Amino acid sequence: MLAQMFMSWSNRGMSGPVQHSAMRGSNLALVLGAVAETGPLTRSQLTARTGLTKSSISGLVGDLVAAGLVGEGQPAPTRERGRPGSVVAIERQGAAGLGLEVNVDYLAAMVTDLGGTVRYRHTVAHDNRDRPPAEVLADLARLAAAATDACDEQGLPLAGACLAVPGTVAAGVVRRAPNLGWDDVPVDLPLPRSAFGLTLENEADLAALAELRAGTASRDFVHVSGEIGIGGGIIVDGELFRGAHARAGELGHVVLDPDGPACSCGGRGCLERLAGLDAILAASGAADRAELEARCAAGEAGALAAVASAGRWLGIALASVTNLLDPECVVLGGVFAALAPWLGDAVEEALARHGVQPRVVVSELGTEAAVRGAAGSVVRRVVGDPAAYLLSREDSA
């Protein structure tokens, strides 16, 4: 999958003459993408897979080894005669990605290495609603500093960071995050110099990408990120669908009851006001998510009824989404993953009642999906553009 994506990327805009540096960059991405997707490959296998010459593969692998992005290990077992070739594999001590997340009731940081292994994680519970953005970002900067220290201790070079937020973003600015009370908030964290710096993305989009990489869903699905708010990430044919203004997937603000409770977005009767965590807690009388889950596990009628009601509202909203997009499946993430044993049947029944029944899958990543997706987005940038990473290392040498 990755190799095809990188091949497509490398061919964009190549109808005219191609400069040598641009060709080298696309070929580095082709080789690194092949190894990242397939796993360890010999140089001859890389030659066959990429269509590049043996001499080109030799030079490109040498550059990637020198950059610490791949390593060459023991010869691969083979039945063929002659000396077996050594294998080229992702170097897990190579570039790492830092994922950060600001959500309504917590802050999170995670580091993943070039192979996708989580090397550090830390989450701090905190109600961030209506807190001054500067205070929230100061707390986040401390989490980022601790994560950076963990990278240093493990000898992991940091390639960049990505921040997941529950709202719309553009050019380093959180344009609107209703549940946080943020409008046009610029984000500039004191991070160490890195190849790709800091980027901002919508948390539901990143969660959907994390699910795609984890392989728990198909290549056509809708990921529902359930927390205090409700977000949606849409994957179409293996690619994230953002929409014309990067607002696709605002599932939490689908209006289900025009006369319903007021929403932070300015509307009334939005899905998150009927099925978000706050709505479920209020209906059940539970103080927090842990108490809610405990009451459901104990079979308490009030808690089970509140969760089932949220499931029905969610299923109604997803029926409309399914009629519009026709996804192969729906992934229940965030708090909905934890509540799936008591909520899932209500979702499926509501879908069936409206004549649609996509496969319903429970996320294995849960509430970590967005921050994992944020860290993974940095790693994918390294794999997609190793030439930029190499250049940054040369500049800092």
Side-chain angles (χ1 to χ4, degrees):
M1 182 194 310
L2 284 172
Q4 292 174 347
M5 182 171 67
F6 300 138
M7 185 177 294
S8 173
W9 169 84
S10 67
N11 287 332
R12 293 175 186 167
M14 292 178 65
S15 57
V18 179
Q19 298 297 321
H20 176 72
S21 59
M23 183 179 293
R24 174 176 175 270
S26 64
N27 287 342
L28 282 168
L30 191 61
V31 172
L32 187 58
V35 177
E37 180 208 8
T38 307
L41 295 169
T42 65
R43 293 193 180 201
S44 61
Q45 288 172 329
L46 279 169
T47 299
R49 186 173 180 85
T50 63
L52 298 170
T53 65
K54 290 183 179 180
S55 60
S56 293
I57 290 293
S58 179
L60 294 166
V61 168
D63 288 343
L64 293 171
V65 169
L69 299 179
V70 302
E72 290 194 270
Q74 295 295 320
T78 179
R79 295 181 180 178
E80 297 179 2
R81 294 182 179 181
R83 182 180 178 182
S86 60
V87 292
V88 180
I90 289 293
E91 175 53 67
R92 293 185 182 274
Q93 284 299 114
L98 170 59
L100 301 167
E101 182 180 4
V102 174
N103 216 304
V104 176
D105 54 355
Y106 65 87
L107 300 174
M110 178 179 286
V111 174
T112 58
D113 63 26
L114 201 58
T117 301
V118 176
R119 305 291 289 270
Y120 174 88
R121 54 161 59 90
H122 187 54
T123 300
V124 177
H126 204 301
D127 191 339
N128 295 309
R129 282 172 285 194
D130 299 321
R131 287 180 69 200
E135 288 185 12
V136 177
L137 293 175
D139 287 345
L140 187 67
R142 284 188 280 273
L143 259 68
T148 300
D149 289 343
C151 286
D152 293 340
E153 291 169 4
Q154 298 180 57
L156 288 169
L158 190 62
C162 178
L163 172 59
V165 296
T168 56
V169 300
V173 176
V174 180
R175 293 300 182 193
R176 181 158 168 74
N179 288 323
L180 290 174
W182 290 15
D183 289 289
D184 294 324
V185 175
V187 176
D188 184 17
L189 298 177
L191 297 171
R193 184 178 181 276
S194 58
F196 299 114
L198 174 69
T199 57
L200 272 63
E201 292 282 356
N202 174 266
E203 56 88 20
D205 286 346
L206 289 171
L209 287 171
E211 295 291 348
L212 177 66
R213 306 308 170 196
T216 54
S218 68
R219 288 171 55 83
D220 290 274
F221 65 90
V222 174
H223 177 274
V224 184
S225 179
E227 303 292 344
I228 301 297
I230 298 175
I234 303 169
I235 301 294
V236 178
D237 194 24
E239 299 289 340
L240 177 67
F241 177 72
R242 297 178 181 274
H245 305 96
R247 296 187 69 252
E250 287 291 332
L251 185 63
H253 298 293
V254 170
V255 177
L256 298 180
D257 181 2
D259 298 319
C263 182
S264 59
C265 72
R268 302 190 72 88
C270 294
L271 174 63
E272 68 181 40
R273 298 295 293 124
L274 302 169
L277 182 57
D278 272 356
I280 301 174
L281 293 177
S284 68
D288 54 30
R289 173 180 157 183
E291 182 181 338
L292 175 66
E293 291 181 37
R295 289 187 180 187
C296 286
E300 185 179 305
L304 292 174
V307 171
S309 175
R312 284 190 292 274
W313 284 117
L314 179 59
I316 292 169
L318 288 172
S320 295
V321 171
T322 301
N323 279 322
L324 284 171
L325 301 177
D326 189 27
E328 194 277 326
C329 70
V330 170
V331 182
L332 301 180
V335 70
F336 292 145
L339 296 176
W342 311 287
L343 173 137
D345 286 348
V347 171
E348 295 194 18
E349 288 169 6
L351 286 168
R353 192 178 307 118
H354 287 80
V356 293
Q357 203 159 12
R359 185 164 56 97
V360 177
V361 178
V362 178
S363 169
E364 297 179 0
L365 302 180
T367 56
E368 283 193 344
V371 72
R372 186 187 289 263
S377 73
V378 177
V379 170
R380 287 193 299 275
R381 287 191 69 181
V382 176
V383 178
D385 192 2
Y389 180 75
L390 267 64
L391 184 61
S392 73
R393 287 175 61 89
E394 292 171 0
D395 289 344
S396 61

